[in-house]
Amino acid sequence: MGQIWKLAEVSNHKTEESCWMVLHGKVYDITSFVPKHPGGRSILLKNAGQDASAAFDSIHPVEILEEYLRPDQVIGTIEPGVATDDTKARKSEYDSQLGLKDSPSSMLPPLASMLSVAEIESYAMKCLSPKAISYYVSASDDQVTKEENGRIYRSILLRPRVFVDCTECSLETSMVGNKVGLPIYISPAAVARLAHPSGEAGIARACSKFNALQIISKNASMSPPAIVRAGPNAVFAWQLYVLKDIAATERTLAQIRKIPQIKFIVLTLDAPFPGKREADERFKMAEVAGGAPPQAWGTESGLTWQKTLEWLGRHTSLPIVLKGVQTHEDAYAATLFPAVKAIIISNHGGRALDTAPPPVQVLLEIRKFCPQVFDLIDVLVDGGIKRGTDVVKALALGAKGVGIGRAALYGLSVGGEEGVERVLKSK
Ligand code: HEM
Ligand SMILES: Cc1cc2nc3c(=O)[nH]c(=O)nc-3n(C[C@H](O)[C@H](O)[C@H](O)COP(=O)(O)O)c2cc1C
């Protein structure tokens, strides 16, 4: 740790055999991390042997370093003065390498004229980089689940009743004991800065305008304190993936305990192994000539009801919400654990196990086999929501709230925080 390196020495280490990187004044030997990087090898090799802080900051919060790299991978510091050259200019250069733009293309019509999520999505395809498109749009295998998530809402028809006084309508409700302005919340989605430089903070600012709930992803591109600061009137929760490195996860939970704006913990359970998202894999293979698909996955695959909930209860006193419940049996099982205050019926937007059922089908199962679940805990759903009528159908079938994943990212890409606001209004 004590050694001071010259940049010329660091620049000799930019291959898979020996890969060093300067990040925020420290020199890291990331050789063993290169094949494990969930964002692929090539982006690390492109930035290796130099001060990559600007590139790194475009996509990751600095806390991620301690979480994923061991202390012995810090091999020293860089000679003073080197790391401070015009970082701002380099940052915007890297932003544009990743396809990040400050404002949407001037080719776009005004946001107010975009009338539906489908329309916003079509404009997002013009704004997002090829990398972001492959990451955001992709779903597992044959994408059966992703398509079914949306199709099922269109196949359920409403039964409108008449002579109902609609003069006073309120969108307010509560989720997991928190009053919110909308029954729609933002589902956790990783690396929002791939959509827009304002990232998760832009989403928080939009949520703040509606007193809406934002669930911050464990893999957010900004730190949770920076995100909650951006949304003083929003309600926040934090999503957890338990890493194989349990001690690192416990350290992160300790940091989350210090953020009073975070009202509950959402433990994601539907991805013990990564889904085979072929569009994304193909993109990453193309980045590394002749490369194999990335194999990186640092998430613990041995979680169980008793053991994991007991462990989590030792590291947080906040309510626990289980995300990725996909059967009525598991919905019922969740009610047997007092710390669990809600479940999110979700198949990860079709990104985890393909041919898993759409959440609406699970809502119907719960109504048939164990309707008491709705009285005991809050049931939230996400996946495939594009219209206000989709939201109404999910609520009518017993959901307390409805999450949007991709729609918020698409809104962010076309107009930053105003784009997300437009998505929330255009439903
Ligand atoms: C050396 C320290 C680094 C660590 C510990 C690290 C860690 C991670 C992690 C945990 C993810 C997963 C997010 C997810 O699951 O969606 C990720 C994704 C990603 N990382 Fe890094 N990263 C590092 C350096 C970099 C650098 C220097 C860049 C350059 C811009 C970069 C670019 C990306 C991108 C673009 C993704 C997007 C997700 C994807 O394509 O699947 N990372 N990284
Ligand atoms: C790009 C992207 C990243 C995601 N990242 C996470 C994540 O970090 N944690 C998580 O629990 N779910 C994640 N999800 C799943 C969402 O929380 C949500 O379940 C899903 O997007 C809902 O489907 P929709 O995109 O059709 O609205 C992600 C989804 C997308 C599209």
Side-chain angles (χ1 to χ4, degrees):
M1 176 68 193
Q3 180 140 7
I4 297 172
W5 296 96
K6 287 190 184 309
L7 202 55
E9 288 167 297
V10 175
S11 68
N12 291 328
H13 301 268
K14 51 186 177 194
T15 64
E16 286 196 74
E17 288 68 44
S18 180
C19 186
W20 293 8
M21 196 175 266
V22 180
L23 293 166
H24 294 281
K26 293 182 185 166
V27 180
Y28 290 83
D29 179 347
I30 57 165
T31 313
S32 62
F33 180 68
V34 172
K36 297 187 202 154
H37 180 232
R41 285 176 290 174
S42 73
I43 200 151
L44 292 189
L45 294 173
K46 215 182 275 174
N47 289 288
Q50 53 181 308
D51 184 356
S53 310
F56 179 86
D57 288 351
S58 288
I59 214 84
H60 292 310
V62 70
E63 293 78 4
I64 206 172
L65 289 171
E66 257 189 59
E67 212 177 339
Y68 286 84
L69 303 177
R70 298 183 314 272
D72 63 294
Q73 287 177 278
V74 182
I75 55 169
T77 52
I78 195 69
E79 57 185 332
V82 169
T84 49
D85 64 341
D86 201 2
T87 1
K88 217 171 169 192
R90 292 186 64 194
K91 183 156 170 8
S92 68
E93 183 197 321
Y94 285 120
D95 280 359
S96 65
Q97 257 180 38
L98 286 169
L100 295 168
K101 299 175 191 127
D102 255 319
S103 53
S105 139
S106 53
M107 307 287 283
L108 295 183
L111 274 174
S113 71
M114 297 184 196
L115 299 180
S116 66
V117 168
E119 202 179 342
I120 290 171
E121 179 174 344
S122 70
Y123 287 116
M125 295 306 127
K126 298 185 204 298
C127 298
L128 291 167
S129 66
K131 161 139 203 78
I133 291 177
S134 71
Y135 184 56
Y136 289 171
V137 177
S138 61
S140 313
D141 295 6
D142 299 314
Q143 316 212 3
V144 172
T145 293
K146 181 186 173 194
E147 278 158 30
E148 195 61 14
N149 278 352
R151 199 201 56 77
I152 197 161
Y153 283 112
R154 258 114 266 157
S155 73
I156 297 173
L157 302 182
L158 290 166
R159 298 180 60 251
R161 302 289 302 275
V162 297
F163 278 137
V164 177
D165 183 353
C166 307
T167 327
E168 297 287 327
C169 292
S170 168
L171 292 175
E172 272 182 21
T173 183
S174 76
M175 287 183 218
V176 200
N178 300 279
K179 215 171 128 198
V180 286
L182 288 181
I184 304 169
Y185 67 89
I186 306 293
S187 294
V191 212
R193 292 199 80 238
L194 272 183
H196 190 270
S198 67
E200 290 83 1
I203 297 179
R205 281 194 285 274
C207 285
S208 197
K209 293 181 186 148
F210 299 90
N211 302 117
L213 166 68
Q214 175 179 8
I215 305 179
I216 300 170
S217 164
K218 158 87 177 60
N219 290 330
S221 48
M222 304 173 101
S223 72
I227 300 168
V228 302
R229 266 198 309 276
N233 297 318
V235 175
F236 292 97
W238 183 75
Q239 177 263 326
L240 166 68
Y241 284 123
V242 181
L243 299 184
K244 285 192 172 43
D245 184 347
I246 297 285
T249 308
E250 291 174 357
R251 284 196 300 275
T252 310
L253 279 164
Q255 294 304 316
I256 295 297
R257 282 202 295 276
K258 295 183 197 150
I259 310 174
Q261 292 92 332
I262 290 183
K263 303 298 183 196
F264 55 93
I265 302 289
V266 175
L267 172 60
T268 296
L269 295 169
D270 56 20
F273 292 97
K276 185 163 176 277
R277 302 201 314 264
E278 292 176 5
D280 202 23
E281 285 187 10
R282 203 167 287 118
F283 188 91
K284 285 178 185 160
M285 281 159 72
E287 279 184 315
V288 186
Q295 295 297 326
W297 195 246
T299 308
E300 173 57 49
S301 43
L303 308 184
T304 59
W305 286 98
Q306 202 74 45
K307 181 186 70 179
T308 305
L309 289 174
E310 234 173 67
W311 163 81
L312 186 52
R314 287 200 300 277
H315 295 279
T316 183
S317 54
L318 292 174
I320 295 170
V321 174
L322 303 181
K323 177 170 185 277
V325 170
Q326 296 171 78
T327 58
H328 74 271
E329 291 92 333
D330 284 344
Y332 173 74
T335 65
L336 305 178
F337 294 84
V340 176
K341 303 294 183 211
I343 52 173
I344 302 181
I345 304 179
S346 170
N347 50 42
H348 220 105
R351 293 162 76 82
L353 177 68
D354 197 22
T355 72
V360 165
Q361 191 174 316
V362 184
L363 278 179
L364 291 169
E365 266 186 31
I366 297 175
R367 287 176 74 82
K368 180 162 180 188
F369 296 111
C370 45
Q372 69 274 29
V373 168
F374 294 113
D375 300 324
L376 295 169
I377 52 178
D378 282 359
V379 177
L380 312 179
V381 297
D382 75 17
I385 298 285
K386 291 204 170 165
R387 286 283 184 190
T389 46
D390 300 344
V391 178
V392 170
K393 288 168 194 174
L395 298 183
L397 291 171
K400 199 74 192 284
V402 171
I404 53 169
R406 293 182 183 87
L409 297 170
Y410 296 152
L412 193 66
S413 83
V414 299
E417 73 182 81
E418 278 94 16
V420 180
E421 205 181 323
R422 189 73 205 129
V423 164
L424 290 170
K425 278 187 184 150
S426 69
K427 290 203 155 275

